[in-house]
Amino acid sequence: MPRDPESVRRDALSAHPVLRRRAAWVHSLPPDLVARLADDEDLGVRVTLAQNHPDAPGALLLRSFLEYTGPERSHLATRPNFPTAQLAAFADHEDPEVRALAARDPETAPAVVERLTRDPDPAVRAAAARHPNLPRPRLTELLDDEELAHPAAANPALDVAAIRRLARTLVDPAVSSADTLT
């Protein structure tokens, strides 16, 4: 049931964070209130807005991802406005979920991507294996790695001929996947 716009505005401007959180749930929140709540002092308000508003700003989504470690955190990175630029800066972050963001940045340097394929965290390794800047020799190695073969096979840097050779290995296991990139 849609809420009255005036009551939503009162909640969004309230001194009480619980009321501001309630306003942050509203999908039709006007842009001025989205901007205000995106800068709210309360993490719960910001995260609720980031998780629910269809036009949540990219800066809010990233900030919420970095500050919030609760349920549905990973969902924030799937939102349409989640940024991809400059995420390579997080490649050395202590939190593996934050480190994995570097694999979303199309400008992440090949050496960094390659290093992340050796990260202690399996999700970081898998994300890096799919990055198109992964150097071809490492990509070739990963195609024969039991853990990372599937993410590596999903790497968009694989050319059509390599994909066809991979498909042949499914039919004939005698064909080495190391031959796929040569």
Side-chain angles (χ1 to χ4, degrees):
M1 171 176 191
R3 292 191 51 211
D4 170 49
E6 284 309 309
S7 68
V8 171
R9 182 166 292 282
R10 273 192 311 276
D11 287 352
L13 300 175
S14 172
H16 301 287
V18 172
L19 293 176
R20 295 193 311 272
R21 288 177 189 183
R22 191 167 96 172
W25 276 95
V26 176
H27 293 226
S28 60
L29 205 60
D32 67 313
L33 294 180
V34 170
R36 183 181 179 105
L37 295 179
D39 287 330
D40 197 275
E41 64 188 35
D42 182 70
L43 175 63
V45 171
R46 294 190 310 271
V47 170
T48 300
L49 182 68
Q51 290 176 330
N52 293 287
H53 199 278
D55 295 320
L60 170 67
L61 293 168
L62 179 58
R63 179 181 180 192
S64 295
F65 187 91
L66 296 173
E67 295 176 354
Y68 177 68
T69 58
E72 302 295 320
R73 177 192 198 191
S74 61
H75 175 69
L76 293 168
T78 67
R79 301 301 309 272
N81 292 335
F82 196 88
T84 57
Q86 301 178 343
L87 294 178
F90 297 111
D92 295 314
H93 199 278
E94 64 186 40
D95 181 339
E97 287 187 71
V98 176
R99 270 195 316 277
L101 292 178
R104 294 172 160 269
D105 185 341
E107 301 299 320
T108 300
V112 173
V113 175
E114 182 171 357
R115 179 173 52 83
L116 289 174
T117 64
R118 293 177 173 86
D119 191 89
D121 187 86
V124 174
R125 291 192 300 270
R130 290 186 293 271
H131 198 286
N133 289 350
L134 182 62
R136 191 169 293 267
R138 181 64 176 148
L139 179 55
T140 301
E141 287 175 37
L142 295 182
L143 291 171
D144 284 326
D145 181 296
E146 188 174 311
E147 175 196 10
L148 296 174
H150 284 96
N155 191 309
L158 284 177
D159 61 27
V160 173
I163 294 169
R164 286 187 179 129
R165 285 189 292 273
L166 278 173
R168 280 197 308 270
T169 65
L170 293 173
V171 176
D172 182 3
V175 176
S176 169
S177 57
D179 297 330
T180 60
L181 297 176
T182 56

